[in-house]
Amino acid sequence: MGRTLKFDIFRYNPEDPASTPHMQAFTLEETENMTLFIALNRLREEQDPGLIFDFCCRAGICGSCGMVVNGRPRLACQTKTKDLPETITLLPLPVFKLVGDLSVDTGVWFREMYQATESWIHTNKQFDPAQEEERMDNAVAEQIYELERCVECGCCIAACGTARMRDDFLGAAALNRVARFVIDPRDQRTDKDYFEIIGNDYGIFGCMGLLACEDICPKNLPLQNQLGFLRRKMGITAIKQFLGK
Amino acid sequence: MYTHTSDLLVIGAGLAGERVAVESALAGFDVVCLSIVPARRSHSSAAQGGMQAAIGNCAMGEGDNTDVHFMDTVKGSDWGCDQEVARMFADTAPIEMRRLAHWGVPWNRVVPGKSFYFKGGEKFEKFEKPEKEGLITARSFGGTAKWRTCYTSDGTGHAVMCTMDNKCAELGITVLDRKEAISLIHDGEKCMGAVVRCLRTGKLEVYLAKATAICTGGYGRLYSATTNAVICDGAGNAIAQETGVVPIGNPESIQFHPTGIVPTDILVTEGCRGDGGTLLDVHEERFMHIYEPEKAELASRDVVARRMTEHMRAGHGVKSAYGEHLWLDIRHLGDQHISTKLREVDEICKNFLGVDARTQLIPVRPTQHYTMSGIRTDKTGAAYGLKGLYSAGESACWDMHGFNRLGGNSLAETVVAGGIIGKCIVEYLQGTETTYSTAVINSEVKRQQQRIDDLIAGRLGKENVYKVRAEMQEALMTGCFVFRNEKDLLTCIETLQGIYERSGRIGLVSNGLGANHELGAALKLRGQVRLALGIAAGALARKESRGSHNREDFPARDDRNWLNRTLAYWPENADMPVLKYEDATPHFEIPPGDRGYGGGTIIQADPELIAAKTIKR
């Protein structure tokens, strides 16, 4: 305790004609158990009410506050200042459209992803309110939930070498989403159907295997495994298609 | 002026809002959902524990049925709920859980065979039947007779939110984020839509619709210590109340959760206690069983929060730099249980406290958690006072929770009420054509633009929005928290009246352009202070203790005089809410009685009046 923290924060408000992109320095006395949520709100309330950033749950559950903290994409709310040096540089996530300062537009990006991956259960079964639910093995339910834990913070996209180079790359969050439906017995899509979505260079074959996604995922999703799983599955599907099977 | 027209406008795209939207979309209506954050970031996604529904598949849920669930809900509400609504809810919940399973929710399922569970720190054995294997299972939650809470690990809200939002994507529903409704467009009789501020550009837009549904969640952020997300600021309730004709139901009915962590007030789930976690005092000894011999840690939330406060007042709290607190102990549940069933709790402790819950105690204290209060609607979800206006979920006072809602009943309410009210909106839309008055629309847009211009130019004054807001939050913390009394409430109201006056003299420090937060805060502050005054005025008027509303000077539950619901109106140019009252319920299935926990005395209602309103099923 007792440190004076120096924040270097990216500033640019696209809606303000007088604004130009620049870095701005702030100082703040560190307090016990301070997180970037506490720090940024204090900066806004006490020093510059024009500062733009996003928080929602402030508990690491909702994924609103992804930003680049000293060079690494992470959730600001669960970043404790005591784990950082005295100088803290904050930048908005790359790849996504800038809303202002540290805020980026993940909302539109992810809604487009839902459509691109058809992020829903495909089934021809009708729900019958009078019937008992279809049974499912608890282990399968837990596997699905494991992949469903993605909070769509965008950190894996911002950290992805391919996504930085080509803006049509689906990215780990989208590929993980597809994997979630692949293992769900309720979804009737076949490997061929999934191949249509991700069996190409903006899908699974675009991944260069750099795996920053795995390193930085704030929810510790097993992204490396999912990328490998899909690559094998889609590779086999491609061979089968080539052989006319 | 960008103007969008649809059949249904849903303000708020959390679980209740999207569930309402899905029902209309399935019936072929054009729906738009607006949300201030991307839908999946809604506070619904933060609910860890689960959804109550009497499915009765698991061993400890055997013999459960909708009657027992209904009974638990009515008792939980301290007989403050609308029993007709609570009945609809309990009856529909199991079907809704199955529907969600069909849509894609990965509910945890019954695993057959022998397993262990903890209750009050002791280990017990249970046996899950092989014939139930793979059906939806449930866990234990406070205030329930059976294990009834359906869950997906401890991310139930998140998982269901994903499925619901996927469903919206599948149906092609327009879901727009970073859009904030700042006022309703109405003519005093019917609602025509809303004036909306785009949180990307800062520009005003108009959304017109035959029906408008407000599903904006609770308003915990009126308090400084709350488990709620920062977006749960009451803006949706405030714009409804501002119409002057739509009342807030039971404003004084606010729930405090026993286990917010200290200092950040992040919630750790009731599942901790449901799974066998215990509460300890400064001596690291259990105490809940002394106050509540039968239910101990598993009494309903209002009771646990009250007993914790009592115990701290008796000098058994743990002193800290952030005030007194108690301990939550889940160490005995073991690594396996904590890493899987309570993983989010584990992460919260590590990330925000630096505590390992396997070996260390978790500092907790009661903190604001839920608003049973909300936009008063009838059983179809139609708001009192304005045709074409609906509300569902935590933003509404539908009113199945009365003066205390049970853990797992709120998350269930979002989808169950969303489905029921969604159907009622479909019926309304099918029978309704409307006209929009350009005069009404234009004058409302002009009024809102004027407010914005005045705030930016500082024409109203120079008060700082964040300072005034913080004072409002402190006033409620001091005068209107777990325990209430006349003296503190009078002080609270006087303070809030001063704050209300100052809230009209806010001037921005920043330029207010684009996605500016200060402007957003300033636009909603006045409405928030009105809600705060409603809480305090309702609490002062209600001279009894019921559920979460605890009057130290009136400790008894008074069924003779207060078996009713407060309706807080804010007529144009008023400086205090006008309180009216209505019967708590149109009829009784379960006449008022003892909850079986919480203690306290009851002033009996006139038995003849109760008998006349009691129905036989």
Side-chain angles (χ1 to χ4, degrees):
Chain A
M1 283 318 103
R3 292 197 300 176
T4 300
L5 301 175
K6 176 171 177 277
F7 287 88
D8 266 324
I9 299 180
F10 175 82
R11 301 300 305 272
Y12 176 52
N13 182 354
E15 295 293 326
D16 177 1
S19 174
T20 51
H22 64 284
M23 297 300 289
Q24 186 177 348
F26 296 89
T27 55
L28 193 65
E29 293 302 314
E30 189 174 24
T31 54
E32 203 178 333
N33 280 335
M34 184 181 255
T35 62
L36 288 183
F37 167 72
I38 295 170
L40 281 168
N41 274 290
R42 276 190 54 195
L43 288 179
R44 179 154 71 192
E45 292 178 17
E46 296 166 14
Q47 299 189 29
D48 188 346
L51 190 56
I52 302 169
F53 52 78
D54 294 321
F55 283 101
C56 181
C57 76
R58 60 76 176 90
I61 299 169
C62 80
S64 292
C65 60
M67 60 182 70
V68 181
V69 182
N70 286 351
R72 191 183 171 92
R74 59 197 314 159
L75 294 181
C77 73
Q78 59 182 35
T79 301
K80 297 190 280 289
T81 54
K82 71 175 177 196
D83 297 335
L84 299 172
E86 272 177 15
T87 300
I88 299 168
T89 304
L90 302 178
L91 296 166
L93 291 182
V95 181
F96 300 98
K97 186 180 174 191
L98 184 78
V99 173
D101 299 344
L102 299 174
S103 168
V104 296
D105 195 341
T106 49
V108 166
W109 194 96
F110 276 94
R111 284 217 92 73
E112 284 171 2
M113 181 275 268
Y114 309 157
Q115 296 303 329
T117 58
E118 300 190 14
S119 166
W120 52 83
I121 299 275
H122 291 55
T123 179
N124 57 15
K125 290 182 187 162
Q126 295 293 315
F127 174 68
D128 181 353
Q131 286 297 310
E132 191 176 83
E133 64 274 21
E134 263 189 58
R135 290 174 194 243
M136 181 186 274
D137 189 56
N138 191 55
V140 172
E142 287 185 346
Q143 276 170 22
I144 297 168
Y145 176 71
E146 181 66 16
L147 305 188
E148 192 106 282
R149 290 189 306 114
C150 171
V151 294
E152 303 187 356
C153 60
C155 287
C156 65
I157 308 300
C160 173
T162 310
R164 295 289 292 273
M165 290 191 296
R166 53 184 301 169
D167 57 14
D168 61 355
F169 183 57
L170 283 169
L175 293 165
N176 174 70
R177 178 63 47 83
V178 171
R180 178 247 176 271
F181 288 102
V182 170
I183 62 168
D184 193 324
R186 293 166 294 197
D187 198 310
Q188 296 170 338
R189 278 180 284 185
T190 62
D191 287 352
K192 265 190 171 170
D193 295 326
Y194 291 118
F195 191 85
E196 291 294 317
I197 301 171
I198 59 164
N200 45 50
D201 281 352
Y202 56 82
I204 190 65
F205 300 127
C207 169
M208 300 187 290
L210 299 175
L211 296 175
C213 53
E214 167 92 11
D215 293 343
I216 58 87
C217 176
K219 303 307 282 185
N220 298 313
L221 289 168
L223 296 172
Q224 178 179 357
N225 286 347
Q226 299 319 307
L227 293 169
F229 164 68
L230 288 177
R231 184 181 281 270
R232 283 193 299 278
K233 207 172 183 52
M234 291 299 107
I236 292 166
T237 309
I239 293 166
K240 279 185 180 167
Q241 285 189 354
F242 179 71
L243 297 174
K245 285 185 183 172
Chain B
M1 174 67 47
Y2 174 81
T3 305
H4 182 282
T5 309
S6 60
D7 294 315
L8 173 63
L9 166 65
V10 182
I11 301 169
L15 276 178
E18 287 203 336
R19 183 66 186 85
V20 163
V22 162
E23 213 51 50
S24 276
L26 285 171
F29 289 104
D30 182 26
V31 188
V32 60
C33 291
L34 305 182
S35 173
I36 55 179
V37 293
R40 288 175 205 222
R41 312 214 193 288
S42 301
H43 196 48
S44 304
S45 72
Q48 301 162 349
M51 295 191 177
Q52 278 206 46
I55 295 188
N57 290 327
C58 67
M60 302 297 289
E62 227 169 272
D64 197 13
N65 59 48
T66 55
D67 293 342
V68 185
H69 186 185
F70 169 72
M71 167 87 87
D72 283 342
T73 302
V74 174
K75 275 188 190 169
S77 81
D78 221 352
W79 275 269
C81 73
D82 180 324
Q83 295 198 9
E84 197 180 3
V85 166
R87 171 52 76 178
M88 275 200 295
F89 163 75
D91 286 353
T92 312
I95 300 166
E96 189 64 22
M97 298 308 116
R98 295 188 179 112
R99 189 192 316 271
L100 292 171
H102 183 75
W103 285 353
V105 173
W107 295 120
N108 276 78
R109 305 295 180 128
V110 175
V111 177
K114 202 161 65 172
S115 57
F116 298 99
Y117 68 96
F118 287 89
K119 192 178 172 189
E122 274 184 70
K123 198 172 181 180
F124 296 88
E125 189 180 292
K126 64 184 174 64
F127 185 83
E128 299 289 349
K129 288 182 176 163
E131 63 264 32
K132 298 286 188 188
E133 179 173 8
L135 296 175
I136 299 170
T137 191
R139 61 163 44 133
S140 178
F141 253 30
T144 68
K146 301 281 178 185
W147 287 25
R148 186 187 298 129
T149 308
C150 308
Y151 65 100
T152 58
S153 187
D154 58 2
T156 310
H158 171 81
V160 179
M161 192 70 238
C162 286
T163 293
M164 198 62 73
D165 199 35
N166 285 338
K167 194 74 193 167
C168 288
E170 179 187 356
L171 294 170
I173 295 171
T174 306
V175 181
L176 304 175
D177 66 272
R178 294 184 193 262
K179 302 281 183 190
E180 179 160 45
I182 60 169
S183 76
L184 292 177
I185 301 170
H186 70 98
D187 58 8
E189 307 219 328
K190 78 172 178 208
C191 182
M192 301 174 214
V195 177
V196 172
R197 178 171 170 250
C198 173
L199 302 183
R200 288 183 179 81
T201 63
K203 292 191 173 65
L204 293 187
E205 300 171 348
V206 167
Y207 286 78
L208 301 175
K210 286 201 264 186
T212 301
I214 296 180
C215 306
T216 48
Y219 46 79
R221 286 281 156 180
L222 297 188
Y223 288 82
S224 56
T226 174
T227 62
N228 287 191
V230 300
I231 55 171
C232 303
D233 55 18
N237 296 72
I239 61 172
Q241 193 184 35
E242 198 202 356
T243 62
V245 291
V246 179
I248 298 296
N250 278 344
E252 66 273 31
S253 183
I254 306 282
Q255 184 178 71
F256 304 92
H257 196 286
T259 54
I261 62 169
V262 181
T264 42
D265 301 299
I266 296 169
L267 170 76
V268 291
T269 177
E270 188 149 317
C272 289
R273 283 172 295 124
D275 291 359
T278 55
L279 291 168
L280 308 180
D281 62 17
V282 67
H283 312 293
E284 301 194 10
E285 281 168 14
R286 284 184 68 205
F287 58 90
M288 275 305 299
H289 63 288
I290 301 168
Y291 299 98
E292 298 294 328
E294 199 185 322
K295 293 250 177 192
E297 277 86 352
L298 288 176
S300 69
R301 285 180 181 168
D302 59 319
V303 173
V304 179
R306 203 163 75 217
R307 298 304 195 191
M308 287 171 74
T309 309
E310 267 183 75
H311 202 63
M312 286 192 283
R313 280 185 176 183
H316 305 300
V318 184
K319 307 250 187 311
S320 85
Y322 302 96
E324 281 189 51
H325 63 80
L326 294 159
W327 300 113
L328 174 65
D329 184 7
I330 59 169
R331 295 173 298 186
H332 51 283
L333 301 183
D335 175 54
Q336 168 73 16
H337 192 94
I338 293 171
S339 341
T340 56
K341 299 246 163 53
L342 297 171
R343 178 159 59 183
E344 300 285 339
V345 174
D346 189 23
E347 286 179 7
I348 286 167
C349 289
K350 271 192 199 138
N351 292 333
F352 303 97
L353 293 171
V355 161
D356 182 355
R358 289 163 194 77
T359 55
Q360 292 171 288
L361 300 172
I362 308 166
V364 294
R365 69 175 164 214
T367 175
Q368 192 287 341
H369 183 54
Y370 189 82
T371 38
M372 281 74 74
S373 144
I375 297 167
R376 177 64 185 140
T377 72
D378 65 16
K379 64 182 176 184
T380 71
Y384 283 21
L386 272 188
K387 202 164 166 281
L389 181 65
Y390 288 79
S391 184
E394 192 176 346
S395 61
C397 179
W398 185 35
D399 169 14
M400 57 170 275
H401 304 301
F403 278 82
N404 177 58
R405 68 116 179 141
L406 297 181
N409 258 357
S410 62
L411 198 60
E413 183 193 13
T414 61
V415 289
V416 175
I420 292 171
I421 292 165
K423 277 201 175 66
C424 295
I425 292 174
V426 166
E427 281 171 28
Y428 174 78
L429 290 174
Q430 282 164 343
T432 305
E433 291 303 336
T434 193
T435 51
Y436 302 116
S437 158
T438 54
V440 172
I441 298 165
N442 289 333
S443 87
E444 188 55 31
V445 171
K446 212 167 153 188
R447 192 171 77 89
Q448 295 306 324
Q449 191 60 55
Q450 188 65 47
R451 285 177 70 207
I452 291 174
D453 295 345
D454 287 346
L455 284 165
I456 291 176
R459 277 194 281 267
L460 308 169
K462 284 288 168 210
E463 290 283 356
N464 180 299
V465 64
Y466 296 116
K467 277 199 184 125
V468 178
R469 190 179 71 179
E471 287 179 36
M472 168 192 75
Q473 292 165 333
E474 278 315 310
L476 283 183
M477 291 298 290
T478 311
C480 219
F481 205 57
V482 175
F483 284 104
R484 299 149 182 202
N485 61 63
E486 183 175 293
K487 182 174 151 284
D488 291 345
L489 284 166
L490 284 170
T491 311
C492 177
I493 288 172
E494 199 187 320
T495 310
L496 286 172
Q497 282 178 313
I499 290 169
Y500 185 60
E501 190 266 322
R502 285 166 59 205
S503 73
R505 289 190 275 115
I506 302 290
L508 296 197
V509 178
S510 63
N511 61 20
L513 295 175
N516 184 282
H517 181 271
E518 190 190 16
L519 176 60
L523 283 169
K524 69 186 74 163
L525 181 63
R526 216 163 154 70
Q528 289 177 313
V529 186
R530 284 190 203 113
L531 292 173
L533 273 164
I535 298 173
L540 177 66
R542 185 169 287 274
K543 292 182 168 51
E544 66 155 355
S545 293
R546 185 182 296 274
S548 300
H549 171 69
N550 295 291
R551 283 287 298 261
E552 292 169 292
D553 40 357
F554 297 97
R557 190 181 92 195
D558 184 354
D559 288 348
R560 185 173 297 272
N561 297 300
W562 289 101
L563 199 52
N564 59 16
R565 181 177 300 106
T566 312
L567 300 174
Y569 290 86
W570 199 287
E572 205 178 341
N573 299 324
D575 54 8
M576 275 296 281
V578 173
L579 303 183
K580 296 180 181 174
Y581 293 89
E582 64 177 9
D583 286 350
T585 180
H587 60 247
F588 297 104
E589 252 191 79
I590 308 172
D594 183 8
R595 299 165 95 188
Y597 48 79
T601 53
I602 298 171
I603 299 167
Q604 301 289 341
D606 180 351
E608 275 179 35
L609 283 178
I610 299 294
K613 279 183 73 176
T614 302
I615 55 162
K616 299 268 179 286
R617 272 180 81 96

